Amino acid sequence: MNLLGIDVGTTSMKAAVFSREGEELSSATLDYTLRQDGNIVEFDTESYWNLLQEAVDQVTDGLQVDAMSIDTQCETLILTDDDGTPVRDAIVWLDNRAEEQAMKIEAHFGEQRVYEVTGQPEVTATWPACKLLWVKENEPEVWAKTKKVFLLEDYLLYKMTGEFVTEKTLQSSSLYLDIHTGDWWDEMLAFIGVDKKLLPTLKESAETVGTYRGMTVVTGAMDQVAGAIGAGVVRKGIMSEMTGTTMVLFVPTDEVPAYDPSSKIPLHYNYDGGYVRLLWTSTAGMSLKWFKNSFCEANDFRELDDLAASVPPGCDGLVMLPHLCGSTMPKYNPDARGAFYGITLQHTRAHFVRSILEAVSCMLKSNLDYIGMEIDEIRMMGGGAKSPLWCQIKADMTGIRLVTLKKSETACLGSAILAGVGVGAYNSVEEACNLLVETDRVYESQGVDYSETYRAYQELDEKLHG
């Protein structure tokens, strides 16, 4: 049995076919460019469908594929008529035009009420509820034609099968899904003036929907959930950390934490009916990339690792704050700025490089300390996972075992796993992960004491940003 997983990212679509045993048989990546004008970010809706067909053509050529599933970003909004023909271009998740509508929703419900129902700790212009209200108020002629409200995964499922369905992980940040009942939030829909008949039928992940080109089509999950499944993050105590441009932490939980007005950490519906806390930072790997491009143009990242390795832990007192685009979690402060502190004549370029690696590791520890959950293992993803030195610093900084993965495209694998569960190839997601997810290197704490480094990091952050 062969399984297809498709990961629809912000500017690229990736597809991969796996055997039931996890061997990658084929893959393809298709890139595309969004249209952006200030706060407005859109994309031609039909192009998503055309890209998916092209991706399927490429990866299934010469292969029999039995089932498929898709993961996408959450908040990309698509409006169509009753036949599924788009009535305007897709409003991409990055779109921030609905700021006024976000303020209206927040004023009516309050952040606490919104969090307690939806798990979202703030009302921002990117949420679909805000975008829908914007369309109603600013494009009445479009709204009059709207008979179906899709998010991106829903739209592609509809185009393949003709079924008007969605799944709950995708709707977690719509602002009109009650994460306790797993049903639509009637009060929010009434406030924004959206009839439930415009919305798809709610399903769980890994449910069969229909067929497309002889393949059984199965509901997927939002991209972060699919990526976590592909990394084997399927039980409490195991989380994932992706250090790319930003840092994203995916932490499964069974509980809905109490509302905290100082916290901006969202809670999402997970594939198994549980929940997940998603933490992210404004910059992580971008801090190192900025330093490389600005001061070490002749060095590649492997050479930067060698430079950093030549410096002792603690960087001889040099401390860095990586807030080059403000800070988000655990402390939200868009006005926060980056800094190097404690510079002396003994500090070299190598010290500055290592201080960045240590600062991002401190940021990881501060987020883990904030959520206060017992973590046994962190699965590492993103470009940062390619640096053995950085992984070891994080293991020593946190005192938690870190594990890298052999397959880097975890979202496609996660979607393929959901497809396999949906057609009975595996009894459960957990069984599939045990069979398919291959770990690579393991990093245990070597007993390096970073307590003074972490204390200095926190103290500097507090002095500069309160």
Side-chain angles (χ1 to χ4, degrees):
M1 176 175 283
N2 296 328
L3 306 165
L4 167 60
I6 298 179
D7 170 39
V8 186
T10 303
T11 57
S12 68
M13 183 179 296
K14 298 175 182 178
V17 175
F18 300 89
S19 69
R20 184 189 178 280
E21 292 69 38
E23 180 187 358
E24 185 176 307
L25 304 176
S26 65
S27 65
T29 300
L30 304 176
D31 296 320
Y32 45 91
T33 303
L34 305 176
R35 185 175 69 255
Q36 184 165 3
D37 182 9
N39 284 336
I40 295 174
V41 187
E42 297 183 343
F43 190 65
D44 175 63
T45 303
E46 289 286 354
S47 292
Y48 282 122
W49 171 231
N50 293 335
L51 285 160
L52 182 136
Q53 293 178 90
E54 184 178 346
V56 171
D57 283 342
Q58 289 190 27
V59 298
T60 62
D61 186 28
L63 289 174
Q64 177 183 332
V65 179
D66 301 279
M68 66 171 294
S69 187
I70 306 169
D71 70 83
T72 72
Q73 70 260 194
C74 285
E75 297 96 26
T76 294
L77 183 71
I78 293 171
L79 307 178
T80 77
D81 63 16
D82 202 40
D83 295 326
T85 302
V87 296
R88 69 169 335 279
D89 285 343
I91 303 178
V92 178
W93 71 273
L94 291 164
D95 191 287
N96 268 295
R97 76 184 74 185
E99 292 179 352
E100 181 182 341
Q101 289 70 31
M103 289 188 288
K104 287 180 181 179
I105 291 173
E106 182 179 332
H108 182 80
F109 290 97
E111 285 189 341
Q112 180 170 351
R113 174 73 172 144
V114 169
Y115 172 79
E116 289 174 345
V117 177
T118 71
Q120 302 307 312
E122 56 185 335
V123 181
T124 73
T126 59
W127 302 152
C130 305
K131 291 171 176 169
L132 285 170
L133 188 56
W134 184 92
V135 172
K136 282 192 65 183
E137 293 180 350
N138 292 273
E139 296 180 347
E141 71 288 351
V142 169
W143 186 249
K145 300 175 186 175
T146 299
K147 303 302 178 185
K148 287 182 169 67
V149 174
F150 294 93
L151 299 185
L152 183 50
E153 182 193 337
D154 315 336
Y155 174 72
L156 295 173
L157 291 176
Y158 181 83
K159 293 293 287 186
M160 287 189 292
T161 68
E163 297 295 327
F164 188 35
V165 298
T166 188
E167 48 83 17
K168 297 173 188 178
T169 73
L170 188 72
Q171 296 289 343
S172 288
S173 54
S174 66
L175 232 59
Y176 42 80
L177 180 76
D178 185 329
I179 62 169
H180 302 278
T181 65
D183 204 350
W184 302 120
W185 183 16
D186 290 333
E187 288 180 68
M188 180 62 74
L189 292 175
F191 181 76
I192 63 176
V194 174
D195 193 306
K196 279 197 289 189
K197 69 183 180 182
L198 301 181
L199 301 176
T201 300
L202 284 161
K203 290 184 172 289
E204 302 289 347
S205 297
E207 288 193 40
T208 58
V209 178
T211 59
Y212 175 63
R213 299 191 188 181
M215 298 178 285
T216 300
V217 178
V218 177
T219 54
M222 75 174 196
D223 49 7
Q224 294 291 344
V225 170
I229 291 171
V233 182
V234 292
R235 68 167 177 83
K236 276 186 71 174
I238 298 181
M239 58 167 282
S240 64
E241 186 260 31
M242 181 179 70
T243 293
T245 300
T246 64
M247 176 188 288
V248 180
L249 308 182
F250 184 101
V251 190
T253 180
D254 298 329
E255 304 168 347
V256 178
Y259 174 71
D260 178 355
S262 67
S263 172
K264 300 297 181 184
I265 299 174
L267 187 77
H268 288 262
Y269 201 85
N270 206 357
Y271 76 94
D272 59 356
Y275 304 103
V276 58
R277 302 185 81 180
L278 275 179
L279 298 84
W280 60 279
T281 66
S282 300
T283 55
M286 179 57 72
S287 299
L288 183 63
K289 185 176 181 180
W290 160 78
F291 191 82
K292 173 191 177 300
N293 292 344
S294 300
F295 304 106
C296 305
E297 304 96 317
N299 300 106
D300 60 27
F301 286 108
R302 186 181 298 275
E303 290 170 330
L304 294 187
D305 253 22
D306 292 339
L307 279 174
S310 70
V311 173
C315 299
D316 295 316
L318 182 63
V319 181
M320 191 263 181
L321 293 182
H323 308 319
L324 304 188
C325 297
S327 65
T328 51
M329 299 175 191
K331 186 187 300 181
Y332 178 73
N333 183 352
D335 297 322
R337 292 295 177 261
F340 290 95
Y341 177 75
I343 305 170
T344 69
L345 292 174
Q346 72 173 334
H347 290 120
T348 65
R349 181 179 302 183
H351 285 85
F352 282 84
V353 174
R354 186 177 184 109
S355 73
I356 294 172
L357 304 186
E358 292 186 358
V360 173
S361 302
C362 285
M363 190 162 58
L364 169 61
K365 178 172 170 55
S366 68
N367 276 288
L368 293 175
D369 288 349
Y370 177 79
I371 60 175
M373 295 171 59
E374 188 172 333
I375 302 297
D376 304 317
E377 182 177 291
I378 302 175
R379 300 284 174 99
M380 307 297 293
M381 298 185 287
K386 299 176 182 178
S387 165
L389 175 63
W390 210 348
C391 289
Q392 188 59 56
I393 291 172
K394 290 174 180 176
D396 286 319
M397 185 76 69
T398 64
I400 299 172
R401 179 174 65 251
L402 271 61
V403 177
T404 60
L405 302 162
K406 289 187 177 179
K407 291 186 175 72
S408 60
E409 294 298 339
T410 59
C412 286
L413 177 59
S415 288
I417 286 172
L418 289 172
V421 173
V423 296
Y426 316 108
N427 293 321
S428 67
V429 169
E430 293 76 15
E431 177 190 80
C433 287
N434 288 335
L435 177 66
L436 305 184
V437 177
E438 297 179 274
T439 58
D440 192 13
R441 298 189 62 174
V442 176
Y443 298 86
E444 301 272 7
S445 173
Q446 295 180 346
V448 177
D449 185 4
Y450 279 104
S451 57
E452 178 58 27
T453 301
Y454 186 54
R455 184 202 61 76
Y457 170 89
Q458 290 183 302
E459 188 175 276
L460 180 60
D461 198 21
E462 183 66 25
K463 283 182 178 178
L464 293 183
H465 304 124

